[in-house]
Amino acid sequence: MEKYIILADITCDLTREMREFVGMEDYVKGHISITDGGETKDYLTDLDWEHLERDYFYSSLDNTKAKVVTSPPNLDEYIDIFTKYVKEGYAILSMSISSKISGTYDFSCVAAKKVLESYPEAKIYCFDSLRMSGAFGMLTLYAHLLKQEGKSYEEVIEWLEANKNRVHQMGPIDDLIVIARRGRITMGKAIFGSFAGVKPMGDCNSDGYVTVITKAKGIRKALDLTTEYVKRTAVDAENCYAIVSHTDRAQYAELLAEKIRENVGFKKVFVSESFSGNATNIGTGMIGVYYFGEEVSPELEKEKAIMAEICGK
């Protein structure tokens, strides 16, 4: 069988445990810069906190005087890693965060074109996941599982393209102040919502953006609603995997994972976290579960109706 390698970018958010579970050999790192007190430090983004210390990252993210900015792997970095594996005789499946959210996919496509000019017999397929964080991670996880099962390069690509719009997510954000700092809501709404204990909860649309479909008062209520939503929307759960992920909320992520295990019955529930490549833009306080269901409906109309029914609206 033709040998091939799957190269996801850093935003897949797969822990070492998960990467070892599926035999993930490599991935593409990105970049992050932190400016504080007039000094800027640059780091590689990775999936083990090797280049950037975790506590320092989150303290910087919460620091109103610090500026934290990420950037994708650049063109030369993609060319280098593609060339490396092409020279070793591999076909390459490059997987990227949604092109609607980041320029990573575009860089990979340009790099692939340049490498193929020098190595016209090579195979490089650039896959736009139309997902981010744990949702992108689900597709990365399954691509590697299919490879482990002996599926061919073409079969894995075909499966990914057919199923990428089936990845769902649900869970709350419990720190609205951080969201306001990123310009996604007004500070007034954030302060009011925080005082009231409001937790916005959303699923991802067909482009990978999270759309709020309900709000819960209190984290425990939010986790209960999340569990029931997953129970009603997951497909073939007993034969599938799920990922529970968080940004600096390990305790609640473990609690949600336990609720999901008890009430939904997935084959296995992994607990991960959103590493610096994603967490910078998500902010602290996210707890979410990622899994396969039916295809995401237009404007999330079906998903909104399900949540409304759960909430008794």
Side-chain angles (χ1 to χ4, degrees):
M1 178 181 288
E2 178 181 40
K3 68 176 185 178
Y4 63 96
I5 189 164
I6 301 167
L7 293 173
D9 75 66
I10 171 68
T11 60
C12 66
D13 281 344
L14 297 189
T15 63
R16 180 177 295 276
E17 175 201 2
M18 297 160 71
R19 301 195 309 273
E20 291 177 350
F21 183 81
V22 299
M24 182 169 165
E25 301 167 84
D26 204 353
Y27 64 93
V28 187
K29 298 178 178 68
H31 304 271
I32 186 169
S33 65
I34 299 177
T35 303
D36 189 11
E39 181 183 10
T40 298
K41 296 180 180 180
D42 298 316
Y43 306 88
L44 284 175
T45 52
D46 64 68
L47 297 173
D48 294 298
W49 299 108
E50 290 183 353
H51 297 90
L52 173 62
E53 202 273 326
R54 185 183 185 281
D55 290 343
Y56 171 66
F57 165 72
Y58 276 111
S59 66
S60 299
L61 203 59
D62 289 338
N63 182 359
T64 57
K65 296 181 180 180
K67 183 179 180 181
V68 184
V69 179
T70 58
S71 57
N74 61 46
L75 181 61
D76 288 339
E77 288 167 328
Y78 263 116
I79 289 174
D80 287 345
I81 196 167
F82 286 171
T83 301
K84 172 182 182 290
Y85 283 107
V86 164
K87 284 183 175 180
E88 294 176 7
Y90 287 90
I92 297 171
L93 168 53
S94 174
M95 300 180 64
S96 302
I97 184 175
S98 174
S99 62
K100 306 293 184 180
I101 294 171
S102 167
T104 305
Y105 173 71
D106 291 334
F107 280 125
S108 71
C109 290
V110 174
K113 183 177 180 181
K114 288 185 175 295
V115 172
L116 289 170
E117 288 173 356
S118 299
Y119 302 90
E121 301 303 315
K123 287 186 179 180
I124 305 175
Y125 187 89
C126 296
F127 171 71
D128 182 359
S129 72
L130 294 179
R131 292 294 182 271
M132 67 176 289
S133 189
F136 175 30
M138 282 297 298
L139 293 168
T140 304
L141 187 83
Y142 268 79
H144 285 85
L145 286 170
L146 290 168
K147 182 182 178 185
Q148 277 188 337
E149 292 173 6
K151 299 297 184 185
S152 70
Y153 177 72
E154 288 78 12
E155 286 174 322
V156 174
I157 291 169
E158 182 180 1
W159 188 93
L160 287 170
E161 293 291 1
N163 288 276
K164 64 184 177 183
N165 204 36
R166 291 182 52 227
V167 184
H168 290 258
Q169 75 170 71
M170 181 47 61
I173 289 280
D174 73 6
D175 192 339
L176 302 183
I177 303 298
V178 174
I179 296 177
R181 286 185 194 142
R182 304 298 296 180
R184 289 156 64 185
I185 61 173
T186 66
M187 187 59 73
K189 286 184 178 179
I191 293 171
F192 179 80
S194 296
F195 277 129
V198 173
K199 315 296 180 187
M201 303 169 61
D203 201 343
C204 43
N205 64 21
S206 57
D207 289 334
Y209 286 105
V210 178
T211 299
V212 174
I213 64 175
T214 194
K215 297 176 183 178
K217 190 167 183 180
I219 189 64
R220 302 283 175 168
K221 177 66 173 177
L223 298 185
D224 287 343
L225 287 176
T226 297
T227 303
E228 183 61 25
Y229 181 83
V230 176
K231 185 177 180 180
R232 296 196 190 193
T233 55
V235 171
D236 194 26
E238 63 273 16
N239 294 310
C240 294
Y241 297 91
I243 298 172
V244 171
S245 186
H246 69 95
T247 53
D248 206 28
R249 293 296 185 272
Q251 179 182 353
Y252 289 129
E254 292 289 350
L255 178 58
L256 177 58
E258 192 57 36
K259 287 177 177 289
I260 296 294
R261 292 185 185 110
E262 291 176 357
N263 293 278
V264 184
F266 285 106
K267 186 174 184 178
K268 184 176 178 63
V269 178
F270 293 97
V271 177
S272 181
E273 64 179 318
S274 188
F275 292 87
S276 55
N278 281 312
T280 299
N281 299 298
I282 295 171
T284 53
M286 181 278 291
I287 310 105
V289 57
Y290 305 86
Y291 59 98
F292 284 100
E294 294 181 359
E295 283 206 3
V296 172
S297 64
E299 307 300 324
L300 292 175
E301 290 186 0
K302 184 175 181 179
E303 291 77 10
K304 290 176 182 176
I306 291 171
M307 183 58 86
E309 183 178 321
I310 293 171
C311 296
K313 295 180 181 178

